[in-house]
């Protein structure tokens, strides 16, 4: 293999692929990047056992071929060089990287060690990249990985559920105590029907650097196997979690509303953060006490604090009080600019937070079921 490419472009894709390599790989080959030069293109691939990354760039291919090169070392060398054309040549177990005044010897690995990587399914559609990432960022706070003793039953927690149907891509996250819901327009490019996928959040994080235009999403019909996210010459193909390992978040959305609070999202965030300073642990309760025209936000641990802000309460509940983990509320409210509406289905039942102006963003949060126990917890 002998190929020449601009340093800036090669450094960009090499760094992106290298960041997806595992820090403690199960097999040494997972520390390498696969270079394939063919047809005027250079394709660089990496794999961590679950997610494969592929990046293409135009290149001057003198000799077609494949080489496995040390990922971290090569990305570091290429990134440190000045802007110029770089040439990589590999043959008979030897590799050389050259640039004007520079020669770096590289030891390639046996190309036969490279595994067969997962491929993307056939069901595909497109979304606007920036819009997709913004929607994901709004609901990401409601997603956390399960603990080690829960991983078998809750492997889907820590993923983003994507459901493509009727011109919409519905997105959902959950950590079992809160739910983030969003949607973006979806344009199918196949006639294979609806699609479902539980995509690990780390795979979507890999999409951020190239989500500047249209993204193509290849998703399975039944949620099994793999998903592919591609655009701008790059592709992420990842294994999926089993659909049944994701909680039924649709049931968590309140249906019967007993009271609705209308207030400024930023004001409530500031109030919660202020009173939370007296709590010795983030799991301690923050109380919201509504009287119809305002809400008293308070916390009582070693010390106590209270902040009152304007808040209109609609419904038949009259006076209403409910305890939450403060950061659960601030994570959801921080995604809203201006006025927010909080719909309550009861003092110990899920609450729904959304913009008072409407929109697609919704955030469901569970109150603390036993405040006394939460206050006493170590």
């Amino acid at each position: 293999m002998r190929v020449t490419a601009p340093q800036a472009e090669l450094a960009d894709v090499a760094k992106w692929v290298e960041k997806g390599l595992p820090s403690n790989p199960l097999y040494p080959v997972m520390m390498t990047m696969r270079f394939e030069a063919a047809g005027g293109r250079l394709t660089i691939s990496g794999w961590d056992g679950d997610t494969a990354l592929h990046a293409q760039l135009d290149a001057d291919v003198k000799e077609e071929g494949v080489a496995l090169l040390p990922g971290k070392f090569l990305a570091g060398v290429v990134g440190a060089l000045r802007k110029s054309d770089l040439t990589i040549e590999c043959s008979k177990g030897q590799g050389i990287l050259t640039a004007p005044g520079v020669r770096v010897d590289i030891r390639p690995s046996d190309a036969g060690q490279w595994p067969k990587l997962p491929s993307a399914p056939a069901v595909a559609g497109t979304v606007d990249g920036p819009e997709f990432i913004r929607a994901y960022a709004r609901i990401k706070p409601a997603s956390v990985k399960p603990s080690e003793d829960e991983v078998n039953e809750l492997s889907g927690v820590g993923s983003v559920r994507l459901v493509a149907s009727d011109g919409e891509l519905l997105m959902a996250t959950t950590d079992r105590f809160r739910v983030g819901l969003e949607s973006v327009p979806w344009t199918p490019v196949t006639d294979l029907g609806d699609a479902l996928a539980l995509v690990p959040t780390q795979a979507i994080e890999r999409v951020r650097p190239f989500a500047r235009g249209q993204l193509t999403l290849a998703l399975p019909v039944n949620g099994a196997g793999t998903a592919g996210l591609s655009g701008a010459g790059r592709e992420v193909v990842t294994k999926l979690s089993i659909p049944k390992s994701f909680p039924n978040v649709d049931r968590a959305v309140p249906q019967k509303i007993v009271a609705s609070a209308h207030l400024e999202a930023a004001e409530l965030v500031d109030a919660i953060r202020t009173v939370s300073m007296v709590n010795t642990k983030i799991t301690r309760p923050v109380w919201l006490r509504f009287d119809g025209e305002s809400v008293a936000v308070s916390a009582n641990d070693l010390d106590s604090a209270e902040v009152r802000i304007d808040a209109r309460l609609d419904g038949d509940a009259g006076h209403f009080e409910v305890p939450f983990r403060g950061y659960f509320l601030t994570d959801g409210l921080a995604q809203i600019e201006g006025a927010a509406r909080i719909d309550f289905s009861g003092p110990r039942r899920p609450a729904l937070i959304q913009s008072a102006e409407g929109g697609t963003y919704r955030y469901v949060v569970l109150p603390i079921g036993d405040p006394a126990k939460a206050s006493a917890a170590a």
Side-chain angles (χ1 to χ4, degrees):
M1 180 188 79
R2 180 180 171 86
V3 60
T4 301
Q7 180 273 340
E9 296 178 21
L10 185 57
D12 184 41
V13 297
K15 181 179 179 180
W16 177 73
V17 174
E18 185 270 329
K19 281 188 174 182
L21 302 182
S23 55
N24 295 301
L26 186 61
Y27 304 105
V29 70
M30 297 167 68
M31 299 176 64
T32 68
M33 297 190 295
R34 182 180 187 270
F35 281 62
E36 180 177 0
R41 303 281 284 175
L42 175 63
T43 301
I44 304 177
S45 301
W47 177 65
D48 67 0
D50 292 317
T51 301
L53 306 181
H54 306 282
Q56 286 192 339
L57 67 156
D58 292 329
D60 181 9
V61 178
K62 302 292 187 184
E63 295 179 13
E64 296 188 350
V66 174
L68 298 189
L69 304 177
K72 186 173 183 179
F73 172 75
L74 185 66
V77 168
V78 172
L81 295 176
R82 296 180 179 179
K83 290 185 178 180
S84 63
D85 285 344
L86 307 183
T87 297
I88 298 176
E89 183 176 1
C90 296
S91 64
K92 299 181 180 180
Q94 294 182 329
I96 302 172
L97 183 151
T98 57
V102 176
R103 173 191 167 113
V104 179
D105 291 329
I106 306 170
R107 182 177 296 177
S109 299
D110 179 6
Q113 296 178 350
W114 191 252
K116 182 179 180 180
L117 299 188
S119 58
V123 179
T126 60
V127 295
D128 179 78
E131 190 173 359
F132 175 78
I133 292 299
R134 284 193 296 269
Y136 160 72
R138 284 193 286 269
I139 64 174
K140 181 186 175 183
S143 177
V144 294
K145 292 182 179 179
S147 61
E148 290 185 5
D149 59 340
E150 297 171 326
V151 70
N152 291 331
E153 292 77 19
L154 296 170
S155 60
V157 174
S159 298
V160 181
R161 187 189 69 179
L162 303 179
V163 179
S165 181
D166 296 329
E168 273 191 309
L169 181 68
L170 305 176
M171 309 169 66
T173 57
T174 186
D175 62 2
R176 296 173 299 139
F177 302 103
R178 49 200 173 143
V179 178
L181 300 168
E182 257 289 10
S183 66
V184 294
W186 163 266
T187 304
V189 295
T190 67
D191 297 323
L192 298 179
D194 299 342
L196 164 68
L198 292 186
V199 180
T201 55
Q202 60 266 32
I204 295 183
E205 291 291 340
R206 303 297 179 204
V207 176
R208 282 183 182 271
F210 63 85
R212 295 182 289 271
Q214 288 293 108
L215 283 178
T216 297
L217 275 60
L219 310 173
V221 174
N222 57 5
T226 63
L229 302 92
S230 60
R234 304 191 191 186
E235 181 183 36
V236 177
V237 180
T238 184
K239 294 180 182 178
L240 302 176
S241 298
I242 301 171
K244 66 179 182 181
S245 67
F246 193 79
N248 188 348
V249 297
D250 303 307
R251 293 192 305 180
V253 180
Q255 301 299 317
K256 184 178 180 181
I257 306 302
V258 299
S260 295
H262 301 261
L263 42 77
E264 287 295 316
E267 290 185 6
L268 182 53
V269 168
D270 289 343
I272 293 169
R273 289 175 176 167
T274 298
V275 303
S276 293
M277 289 190 292
V278 306
N279 282 340
T280 55
K281 292 185 179 295
I282 62 173
T283 55
R284 298 289 201 265
V286 169
W287 285 86
L288 304 185
R289 294 182 170 90
F290 296 90
D291 61 12
E293 297 181 354
S294 65
V295 57
V297 184
S298 64
N300 186 3
D301 199 351
L302 296 180
D303 295 300
S304 61
E306 180 178 295
V307 175
R308 186 176 293 273
I309 63 172
D310 293 337
R312 188 182 84 249
L313 187 68
D314 297 336
D316 301 326
H319 289 66
F320 194 83
E321 62 179 40
V322 57
F324 290 98
R325 290 185 183 181
Y327 72 97
F328 280 3
L329 289 177
T330 56
D331 282 351
L333 289 162
Q335 315 305 321
I336 298 174
E337 294 184 5
R341 188 181 88 212
I342 308 178
D343 293 331
F344 296 99
S345 54
R348 298 295 182 270
R349 297 184 62 80
L352 174 63
I353 298 174
Q354 55 192 316
S355 171
E357 304 299 324
T360 56
Y361 170 73
R362 294 178 296 162
Y363 181 89
V364 181
V365 58
L366 287 173
I368 295 176
D370 189 340
K373 183 177 180 180
S375 295

